[in-house]
Amino acid sequence: MRILIADDEALTRMGLRSMLRALGHTVVGAAADGTTALRLACETRPDLALLDIKMPGMDGLSVAEQIGRLSPIPVVMLTAYSERELVQQAAATDTVQAYLVKPIREADLAPTLELAVARFAEWQALLQGATSRQEALETREVVAQAKSLLMERHGLGEREAFLEIQHRARHERRPMRDVAKEILGR
């Protein structure tokens, strides 16, 4: 994987870089503050980001949220603090998939990265499924409205109105949703 590291401690960055390389990953950038981390995330498009929760500029949670808005990737938060409040803040975001307390051991890093990638993939699949279901519901609603309009205007039965929309969509090679919107004048 291509990984971005952001930690305000130089020794931590160097240690992480060494561990990640030993695990077969590529470090595409290393930042000492949140602002640089966000810039590097946009420039390098990493597969995963390791972000210290407390950094100068922007904190790790803010960087994770911005990354989630701009180009979602799995994020693992790093901290020297095991305070429950920080863990809860990290867990409340959509972008943080895992949390490691420093000092980080290579034996903990590998499974955490795997877990973060797997959770991110599951989250993306859920979002895609929700989007598909929402689009299907919206299509069904627009087609139902168009059917009602055709039934009213042309005295068609429900089945005939549906077949009319379906026939136009096939003939014009367009989605039924688009044909229905056209019928409705949208």
Side-chain angles (χ1 to χ4, degrees):
M1 277 189 294
R2 300 174 66 253
I3 300 177
L4 170 67
I5 301 168
D7 194 294
D8 58 343
E9 298 174 18
L11 287 175
T12 301
R13 288 193 309 274
M14 288 173 36
L16 282 169
R17 183 184 298 267
S18 176
M19 284 187 268
L20 290 167
R21 284 182 178 158
L23 293 169
H25 302 293
T26 302
V27 175
V28 295
D33 62 81
T35 306
T36 303
L38 183 57
R39 180 180 53 77
L40 286 173
C42 293
E43 290 173 2
T44 63
R45 302 273 195 212
D47 300 318
L48 182 138
L50 292 167
L51 305 175
D52 188 7
I53 204 162
K54 290 190 176 183
M55 293 184 286
M58 295 174 73
D59 65 48
L61 291 173
S62 298
V63 174
E65 289 173 5
Q66 289 295 320
I67 289 172
R69 285 189 201 106
L70 299 172
S71 181
I73 58 171
V75 173
V76 175
M77 296 308 300
L78 310 172
T79 186
Y81 310 94
S82 58
E83 297 171 10
R84 184 144 185 82
E85 181 182 325
L86 292 175
V87 174
Q88 289 172 340
Q89 286 177 351
T93 70
D94 293 342
T95 53
V96 177
Q97 280 71 42
Y99 188 92
L100 283 170
V101 178
K102 298 177 202 174
I104 298 161
R105 298 177 321 144
E106 190 172 331
D108 295 332
L109 186 58
T112 301
L113 296 179
E114 288 179 35
L115 176 66
V117 170
R119 283 192 174 163
F120 181 77
E122 288 172 5
W123 178 249
Q124 293 299 304
L126 286 172
L127 288 177
Q128 182 62 36
T131 300
S132 297
R133 284 189 292 282
Q134 182 63 34
E135 287 175 1
L137 287 172
E138 289 172 4
T139 296
R140 194 175 312 155
E141 184 178 315
V142 169
V143 169
Q145 291 172 1
K147 271 190 331 190
S148 294
L149 187 62
L150 287 175
M151 291 166 59
E152 183 181 306
R153 279 187 188 162
H154 303 293
L156 300 174
E158 184 176 353
R159 178 169 168 69
E160 290 81 17
F162 178 81
L163 291 174
E164 174 64 23
I165 295 168
Q166 187 178 49
H167 173 74
R168 283 190 202 177
R170 282 186 184 155
H171 180 72
E172 298 170 13
R173 296 182 182 182
R174 295 174 40 207
M176 286 181 64
R177 180 180 182 156
D178 293 351
V179 172
K181 283 183 175 181
E182 184 178 280
I183 291 167
L184 295 169
R186 294 183 186 168

